[in-house]
Amino acid sequence: MNETLFRRIKDLPSTHLLGTGVPTCAGCGGLQALHQIYDVLGEKTVFVNAAGCMTLLSVYPFTPFRGSWLYTAMAAAPAGAQGIRDALDIQLKKGQITTDDDLQAIVLTGDGAAYGMGMSATSSAIERGLDFVYICYDNEGYGNTGQQYSEATPHAARTSTSKGPQGYPGYKKDLFSIWAAHKPSYVATVIGAEPLDLARKIEKAKEKQGPRLILALSPCPTGWDYDPKESADVGHLAVRTGIWPLKEYEDGKVVHTKVPRKRLPVEEYLKRQGRFSHLFEPMRNEEILTGIQERVDAYWAEIEG
Amino acid sequence: MYRIRFHGRGGQGMKTASRILGTAFFLEGLEVQDAPRYGAECRGAPIFAYVRASRSPINERGIIRCPDLVIIADDSLVTVPAAGVLAGVTDQTFMLVSTSEKAVTWSHRLNFAGSILTLPTPVEITDRMELRFVGATCAGAAARLCGIITSATLEQAVREELTGLPSSVIERNLEKALEGYTLMAEHEGCIKEKAMLSAEQYEVPEWINLPFEKASISAPVIHSSLTSELMPTGLWRTMRPVIDREHCKKCWWICSTSCPDGAIDIDADNNPQIDYEHCKGCLTCVTVCPSHAIQAIPEHKNPTSEETGS
Ligand SMILES: Cc1ncc(C[n+]2csc(CCOP(=O)(O)OP(=O)(O)O)c2C)c(N)n1
Ligand code: SF4
Ligand code: SF4
Ligand code: SF4
Ligand SMILES: [Mg+2]
């Protein structure tokens, strides 16, 4: 699709579909992305959610959604989406609903479920060609339970289970490539701080069928340890330092949708967040900082060829 | 037994405060319960935590209903009924308020006959990140008020509870805890150990009995959408974003799209309108407005806050 409704920022919706009054933290980058995504996906959607911060959105009898909501076990959201899709298909076939009444099954989970616990259910749902959109808001840890590290936690970040001078020893898993390796219909990374790029990708995803992933890096003031007002800055810096590449996969190809012209040093991003403060004080940890920069440089060197 | 309740907002370290105080009591040889009350433990949301400490085994369970000491880390919570700051407070209760106002002002405002102590805070808080140390100050103050915790024990408790955090964070917390401890010197020991309640004194909580009913009655299907809007999350706000109409260029989208909560809509004249019933005061809009047309003012300075109820 070449035509987009979102050519300029002025084309973005100015009233919002998602209800206010939800209990996510002030300044939640996950909610910021979700409300932008929902504006484009629209209300003909059923959300299937695995345990995490966004579970708090729909706590009986409150909901910010205009449609239904199903809560599943943490590893099972794609299986829940399968059930919903099947039920809708049966109703369509029996003529109990018309195609106008049809709904999109949307999985909404955090990174803990998407990168780890839910991987098996996800992989097999893609393999079955399930017609669904998977939204992962990636706050790089088990946020709802106090930010323990997850398989999405970046190298050296402090979490409640990776303290000390080195932070988290592992490296963030590459979920984008894992999804792309399954050859689904669409995979995209987004971030709430780049709403135009986000809206265009959701618009695209909405038009397609089959398994689709929207992976949203979600600055998290609580888990990443910074003042809520800085969520937008932290988000911009994730993109401008090249740490969070904005890209999409379709028809077998990966395209970078926003290549930072002059990449800022990664420490501009890292030093804004308390979870990396041990890399700067009491003294700079050159080894780790250089290591992080080199990995980002190597990524872009390959892309820019 | 000592019964102490800490009230604050998510992000102000109330859970840590209860743990520091609990550990300090424990190190002094007492039996201890300390626990945060989990709800929406999100940044800005009202939260509380409590500590029981006693020289003999503690048989009481659950949240503290009649506290000896209530510590209020954020004075804007006092008027938020859902925060439950005044629950179970009698004229025997001590209240310690972190506030820029005087104790007598609070006594009058609350028509409260018990003792009010204050922890002075600056009127203008320039760096909200400083707020997360308020928990340590409160823990230090509480330790002194109970009179049986030495400053050395307090220090050890802070170090134990914060193990693994950057040393600058630990030192800052320690400094704050000792500051609270010192500030309460003249009130040392004013909180006395009270007798344990016996089983006969047990009062049934004022809970509502929910009989076991058919699912269609007890958990009816909800057919209406957007019910979350009934929750006044505007009460979380300590800082209020205010749009300066002169400077707003009606750029149309930036504040509205960036507000995580979707609390800014654009009206028919292309003016952004903030929904103060729900705006949580994260100040993302202040950061993103390219014309610097949104200012943040302390909520308590807002002349209209009472009339709008938010
Ligand atoms: C099988 C299972 N294990 C553990 C939990 C407890 N739990 C609830 S939310 C959560 C964190 C989920 O992390 P993530 O998916 O990243 O979402 P976030 O909390 O960060 O939004 C955990 C571990 C659970 N609900 N189910
Ligand atoms: S912990 Fe992070 S992701 Fe979870 S609600 Fe708070 S800000 Fe959002
Ligand atoms: S971002 Fe600033 S200039 Fe743009 S509409 Fe909002 S207040 Fe006005
Ligand atoms: S402070 Fe601004 S961005 Fe934050 S919730 Fe309020 S209106 Fe939205
Ligand atoms: Mg997470």
Side-chain angles (χ1 to χ4, degrees), chain A residues 182-223:
Chain A
H182 289 72
K183 305 201 180 351
S185 47
Y186 191 63
V187 187
T189 59
V190 300
I191 190 162
E194 294 290 350
L196 193 58
D197 178 78
L198 177 146
R200 287 181 185 149
K201 286 170 175 168
I202 306 305
E203 188 187 29
K204 241 186 209 184
K206 188 181 174 183
E207 297 307 319
K208 292 181 184 288
Q209 293 206 320
R212 289 149 284 170
L213 171 69
I214 301 297
L215 181 55
L217 184 69
S218 301
C220 166
T222 309

Short mmCIF file of all heavy atoms in Angstrom, two decimals, chain A residues 182-223:
data_model
loop_
_atom_site.label_atom_id
_atom_site.label_comp_id
_atom_site.label_asym_id
_atom_site.label_seq_id
_atom_site.Cartn_x
_atom_site.Cartn_y
_atom_site.Cartn_z
N HIS A 182 9.92 -16.32 10.83
CA HIS A 182 8.72 -17.14 10.60
C HIS A 182 8.00 -16.74 9.32
O HIS A 182 6.98 -17.32 8.98
CB HIS A 182 7.72 -16.96 11.75
CG HIS A 182 8.12 -17.57 13.06
ND1 HIS A 182 9.11 -17.07 13.87
CD2 HIS A 182 7.62 -18.64 13.73
CE1 HIS A 182 9.19 -17.80 14.98
NE2 HIS A 182 8.31 -18.76 14.91
N LYS A 183 8.49 -15.70 8.66
CA LYS A 183 7.85 -15.16 7.46
C LYS A 183 6.35 -14.87 7.68
O LYS A 183 5.48 -15.38 6.97
CB LYS A 183 8.03 -16.13 6.27
CG LYS A 183 9.50 -16.45 6.00
CD LYS A 183 9.68 -16.94 4.59
CE LYS A 183 11.11 -17.28 4.22
NZ LYS A 183 12.19 -16.94 5.15
N PRO A 184 6.04 -14.02 8.64
CA PRO A 184 4.64 -13.63 8.86
C PRO A 184 4.28 -12.53 7.86
O PRO A 184 5.11 -12.16 7.03
CB PRO A 184 4.67 -13.08 10.28
CG PRO A 184 6.04 -12.47 10.40
CD PRO A 184 6.96 -13.30 9.53
N SER A 185 3.05 -12.00 7.95
CA SER A 185 2.72 -10.98 6.95
C SER A 185 3.31 -9.61 7.27
O SER A 185 3.56 -8.82 6.37
CB SER A 185 1.20 -10.89 6.74
OG SER A 185 0.55 -10.85 7.96
N TYR A 186 3.55 -9.33 8.54
CA TYR A 186 4.09 -7.99 8.84
C TYR A 186 4.74 -7.97 10.21
O TYR A 186 4.23 -8.58 11.16
CB TYR A 186 2.94 -6.97 8.81
CG TYR A 186 3.39 -5.52 8.85
CD1 TYR A 186 4.17 -4.98 7.82
CD2 TYR A 186 3.05 -4.69 9.92
CE1 TYR A 186 4.58 -3.65 7.85
CE2 TYR A 186 3.44 -3.36 9.95
CZ TYR A 186 4.21 -2.85 8.92
OH TYR A 186 4.60 -1.53 8.95
N VAL A 187 5.86 -7.28 10.31
CA VAL A 187 6.52 -7.05 11.59
C VAL A 187 7.01 -5.60 11.58
O VAL A 187 7.58 -5.16 10.58
CB VAL A 187 7.76 -7.95 11.80
CG1 VAL A 187 8.30 -7.81 13.22
CG2 VAL A 187 7.45 -9.41 11.52
N ALA A 188 6.77 -4.86 12.65
CA ALA A 188 7.27 -3.49 12.68
C ALA A 188 7.68 -3.11 14.08
O ALA A 188 7.08 -3.55 15.06
CB ALA A 188 6.19 -2.52 12.17
N THR A 189 8.72 -2.29 14.19
CA THR A 189 9.04 -1.67 15.46
C THR A 189 8.49 -0.25 15.44
O THR A 189 8.50 0.41 14.40
CB THR A 189 10.56 -1.60 15.70
OG1 THR A 189 11.16 -0.85 14.65
CG2 THR A 189 11.19 -2.98 15.77
N VAL A 190 8.01 0.19 16.58
CA VAL A 190 7.46 1.56 16.69
C VAL A 190 7.84 2.12 18.05
O VAL A 190 8.40 1.42 18.89
CB VAL A 190 5.92 1.59 16.55
CG1 VAL A 190 5.46 1.04 15.22
CG2 VAL A 190 5.26 0.81 17.70
N ILE A 191 7.53 3.40 18.24
CA ILE A 191 7.69 4.02 19.55
C ILE A 191 6.73 5.21 19.62
O ILE A 191 6.51 5.89 18.60
CB ILE A 191 9.16 4.44 19.77
CG1 ILE A 191 9.41 4.87 21.22
CG2 ILE A 191 9.61 5.54 18.81
CD1 ILE A 191 10.88 4.89 21.62
N GLY A 192 6.14 5.44 20.78
CA GLY A 192 5.16 6.52 20.92
C GLY A 192 5.75 7.90 20.62
O GLY A 192 5.03 8.81 20.24
N ALA A 193 7.06 8.04 20.79
CA ALA A 193 7.69 9.34 20.54
C ALA A 193 7.78 9.66 19.05
O ALA A 193 8.09 10.79 18.68
CB ALA A 193 9.09 9.37 21.17
N GLU A 194 7.50 8.68 18.18
CA GLU A 194 7.49 8.92 16.73
C GLU A 194 6.11 8.56 16.21
O GLU A 194 5.91 7.54 15.53
CB GLU A 194 8.56 8.06 16.04
CG GLU A 194 9.99 8.43 16.39
CD GLU A 194 10.44 9.77 15.81
OE1 GLU A 194 9.71 10.33 14.96
OE2 GLU A 194 11.51 10.24 16.22
N PRO A 195 5.12 9.41 16.51
CA PRO A 195 3.73 9.02 16.24
C PRO A 195 3.38 8.88 14.77
O PRO A 195 2.49 8.11 14.42
CB PRO A 195 2.92 10.13 16.90
CG PRO A 195 3.85 11.26 17.13
CD PRO A 195 5.23 10.70 17.21
N LEU A 196 4.06 9.61 13.91
CA LEU A 196 3.70 9.53 12.50
C LEU A 196 4.16 8.19 11.90
O LEU A 196 3.41 7.51 11.21
CB LEU A 196 4.34 10.70 11.75
CG LEU A 196 3.83 10.96 10.34
CD1 LEU A 196 2.33 11.22 10.35
CD2 LEU A 196 4.56 12.16 9.73
N ASP A 197 5.39 7.84 12.22
CA ASP A 197 5.93 6.55 11.79
C ASP A 197 5.04 5.42 12.35
O ASP A 197 4.69 4.48 11.64
CB ASP A 197 7.37 6.43 12.33
CG ASP A 197 8.04 5.10 12.01
OD1 ASP A 197 8.48 4.95 10.86
OD2 ASP A 197 8.10 4.24 12.90
N LEU A 198 4.64 5.58 13.60
CA LEU A 198 3.79 4.58 14.24
C LEU A 198 2.45 4.46 13.51
O LEU A 198 2.02 3.36 13.15
CB LEU A 198 3.57 4.94 15.71
CG LEU A 198 2.66 4.04 16.54
CD1 LEU A 198 3.16 3.95 17.98
CD2 LEU A 198 1.21 4.52 16.56
N ALA A 199 1.81 5.59 13.24
CA ALA A 199 0.48 5.56 12.64
C ALA A 199 0.52 4.91 11.25
O ALA A 199 -0.37 4.12 10.90
CB ALA A 199 -0.09 6.97 12.55
N ARG A 200 1.56 5.20 10.50
CA ARG A 200 1.64 4.62 9.16
C ARG A 200 1.78 3.10 9.23
O ARG A 200 1.22 2.37 8.43
CB ARG A 200 2.85 5.19 8.42
CG ARG A 200 2.64 6.62 7.98
CD ARG A 200 3.88 7.09 7.25
NE ARG A 200 3.76 8.50 6.91
CZ ARG A 200 4.80 9.31 6.83
NH1 ARG A 200 6.03 8.86 7.06
NH2 ARG A 200 4.62 10.57 6.51
N LYS A 201 2.57 2.65 10.21
CA LYS A 201 2.76 1.20 10.34
C LYS A 201 1.49 0.50 10.80
O LYS A 201 1.16 -0.59 10.34
CB LYS A 201 3.92 0.92 11.30
CG LYS A 201 5.27 1.23 10.65
CD LYS A 201 6.40 1.18 11.66
CE LYS A 201 7.75 1.36 10.97
NZ LYS A 201 8.83 1.60 11.94
N ILE A 202 0.77 1.14 11.71
CA ILE A 202 -0.47 0.51 12.17
C ILE A 202 -1.48 0.48 11.03
O ILE A 202 -2.22 -0.49 10.84
CB ILE A 202 -1.07 1.25 13.39
CG1 ILE A 202 -0.03 1.38 14.51
CG2 ILE A 202 -2.32 0.54 13.91
CD1 ILE A 202 0.59 0.10 14.97
N GLU A 203 -1.50 1.54 10.27
CA GLU A 203 -2.39 1.61 9.11
C GLU A 203 -2.11 0.44 8.17
O GLU A 203 -3.01 -0.25 7.69
CB GLU A 203 -2.12 2.94 8.40
CG GLU A 203 -3.08 3.29 7.29
CD GLU A 203 -2.61 4.54 6.53
OE1 GLU A 203 -1.38 4.79 6.48
OE2 GLU A 203 -3.48 5.24 5.98
N LYS A 204 -0.83 0.20 7.93
CA LYS A 204 -0.42 -0.92 7.07
C LYS A 204 -0.83 -2.26 7.68
O LYS A 204 -1.42 -3.11 7.02
CB LYS A 204 1.11 -0.91 6.96
CG LYS A 204 1.59 -0.72 5.56
CD LYS A 204 3.10 -0.88 5.53
CE LYS A 204 3.63 -0.03 4.40
NZ LYS A 204 5.07 -0.19 4.24
N ALA A 205 -0.50 -2.42 8.95
CA ALA A 205 -0.79 -3.69 9.62
C ALA A 205 -2.29 -3.97 9.57
O ALA A 205 -2.72 -5.11 9.35
CB ALA A 205 -0.32 -3.64 11.08
N LYS A 206 -3.09 -2.93 9.73
CA LYS A 206 -4.54 -3.08 9.77
C LYS A 206 -5.09 -3.63 8.46
O LYS A 206 -6.05 -4.39 8.44
CB LYS A 206 -5.15 -1.71 10.07
CG LYS A 206 -6.62 -1.72 10.34
CD LYS A 206 -7.12 -0.31 10.59
CE LYS A 206 -8.62 -0.29 10.73
NZ LYS A 206 -9.13 1.09 10.90
N GLU A 207 -4.46 -3.23 7.36
CA GLU A 207 -4.94 -3.66 6.05
C GLU A 207 -4.55 -5.10 5.71
O GLU A 207 -5.09 -5.69 4.79
CB GLU A 207 -4.40 -2.73 4.96
CG GLU A 207 -4.88 -1.29 5.08
CD GLU A 207 -6.39 -1.19 5.18
OE1 GLU A 207 -7.08 -1.93 4.44
OE2 GLU A 207 -6.89 -0.40 6.02
N LYS A 208 -3.56 -5.62 6.42
CA LYS A 208 -3.07 -6.95 6.08
C LYS A 208 -3.82 -8.03 6.83
O LYS A 208 -4.58 -7.75 7.75
CB LYS A 208 -1.57 -7.04 6.41
CG LYS A 208 -0.70 -6.17 5.51
CD LYS A 208 0.75 -6.34 5.90
CE LYS A 208 1.65 -5.42 5.12
NZ LYS A 208 1.82 -5.81 3.72
N GLN A 209 -3.55 -9.25 6.45
CA GLN A 209 -4.13 -10.40 7.17
C GLN A 209 -2.99 -11.29 7.64
O GLN A 209 -1.86 -11.14 7.19
CB GLN A 209 -5.03 -11.17 6.23
CG GLN A 209 -6.26 -10.36 5.85
CD GLN A 209 -7.42 -11.24 5.49
OE1 GLN A 209 -7.23 -12.26 4.83
NE2 GLN A 209 -8.61 -10.87 5.91
N GLY A 210 -3.31 -12.23 8.50
CA GLY A 210 -2.29 -13.15 8.97
C GLY A 210 -1.59 -12.60 10.20
O GLY A 210 -2.01 -11.61 10.79
N PRO A 211 -0.51 -13.26 10.61
CA PRO A 211 0.18 -12.85 11.83
C PRO A 211 0.96 -11.56 11.63
O PRO A 211 1.72 -11.43 10.67
CB PRO A 211 1.15 -14.01 12.11
CG PRO A 211 0.89 -15.04 11.07
CD PRO A 211 0.10 -14.44 9.97
N ARG A 212 0.76 -10.62 12.52
CA ARG A 212 1.44 -9.33 12.43
C ARG A 212 1.93 -8.92 13.82
O ARG A 212 1.20 -9.09 14.80
CB ARG A 212 0.46 -8.25 11.93
CG ARG A 212 0.07 -8.39 10.48
CD ARG A 212 -1.34 -7.88 10.21
NE ARG A 212 -2.37 -8.80 10.68
CZ ARG A 212 -3.66 -8.52 10.75
NH1 ARG A 212 -4.10 -7.33 10.39
NH2 ARG A 212 -4.53 -9.41 11.20
N LEU A 213 3.14 -8.41 13.88
CA LEU A 213 3.68 -7.96 15.17
C LEU A 213 3.94 -6.46 15.14
O LEU A 213 4.55 -5.95 14.21
CB LEU A 213 5.01 -8.66 15.48
CG LEU A 213 5.78 -8.10 16.71
CD1 LEU A 213 5.06 -8.43 18.01
CD2 LEU A 213 7.21 -8.65 16.77
N ILE A 214 3.49 -5.78 16.18
CA ILE A 214 3.86 -4.39 16.40
C ILE A 214 4.67 -4.37 17.70
O ILE A 214 4.14 -4.68 18.77
CB ILE A 214 2.61 -3.48 16.55
CG1 ILE A 214 1.72 -3.56 15.31
CG2 ILE A 214 3.04 -2.04 16.84
CD1 ILE A 214 2.35 -3.07 14.03
N LEU A 215 5.93 -4.06 17.58
CA LEU A 215 6.82 -4.11 18.74
C LEU A 215 7.15 -2.67 19.14
O LEU A 215 7.85 -1.96 18.41
CB LEU A 215 8.08 -4.89 18.36
CG LEU A 215 9.15 -5.10 19.41
CD1 LEU A 215 8.59 -5.75 20.66
CD2 LEU A 215 10.28 -5.96 18.83
N ALA A 216 6.60 -2.25 20.27
CA ALA A 216 6.73 -0.84 20.68
C ALA A 216 7.69 -0.71 21.86
O ALA A 216 7.39 -1.20 22.95
CB ALA A 216 5.36 -0.29 21.07
N LEU A 217 8.81 -0.07 21.63
CA LEU A 217 9.67 0.23 22.77
C LEU A 217 8.91 1.20 23.66
O LEU A 217 8.38 2.21 23.19
CB LEU A 217 11.01 0.83 22.34
CG LEU A 217 11.98 1.06 23.50
CD1 LEU A 217 12.49 -0.28 24.06
CD2 LEU A 217 13.17 1.92 23.11
N SER A 218 8.86 0.90 24.96
CA SER A 218 7.97 1.65 25.85
C SER A 218 8.70 2.23 27.04
O SER A 218 8.83 1.59 28.09
CB SER A 218 6.85 0.72 26.33
OG SER A 218 6.15 0.23 25.22
N PRO A 219 9.22 3.45 26.89
CA PRO A 219 9.91 4.09 28.00
C PRO A 219 9.05 4.04 29.27
O PRO A 219 7.85 4.35 29.22
CB PRO A 219 10.13 5.52 27.51
CG PRO A 219 10.23 5.37 26.02
CD PRO A 219 9.21 4.31 25.68
N CYS A 220 9.67 3.64 30.35
CA CYS A 220 8.93 3.30 31.57
C CYS A 220 9.57 4.05 32.74
O CYS A 220 10.59 3.64 33.26
CB CYS A 220 9.03 1.78 31.74
SG CYS A 220 8.56 1.14 33.35
N PRO A 221 8.98 5.21 33.12
CA PRO A 221 9.60 6.01 34.17
C PRO A 221 9.86 5.22 35.45
O PRO A 221 10.86 5.44 36.13
CB PRO A 221 8.59 7.14 34.41
CG PRO A 221 7.36 6.79 33.65
CD PRO A 221 7.74 5.79 32.61
N THR A 222 8.96 4.29 35.75
CA THR A 222 9.08 3.55 37.00
C THR A 222 10.21 2.53 36.94
O THR A 222 11.03 2.45 37.84
CB THR A 222 7.74 2.85 37.29
OG1 THR A 222 6.72 3.83 37.18
CG2 THR A 222 7.71 2.22 38.65
N GLY A 223 10.23 1.75 35.87
CA GLY A 223 11.23 0.69 35.78
C GLY A 223 12.59 1.19 35.31
O GLY A 223 13.62 0.60 35.63
#
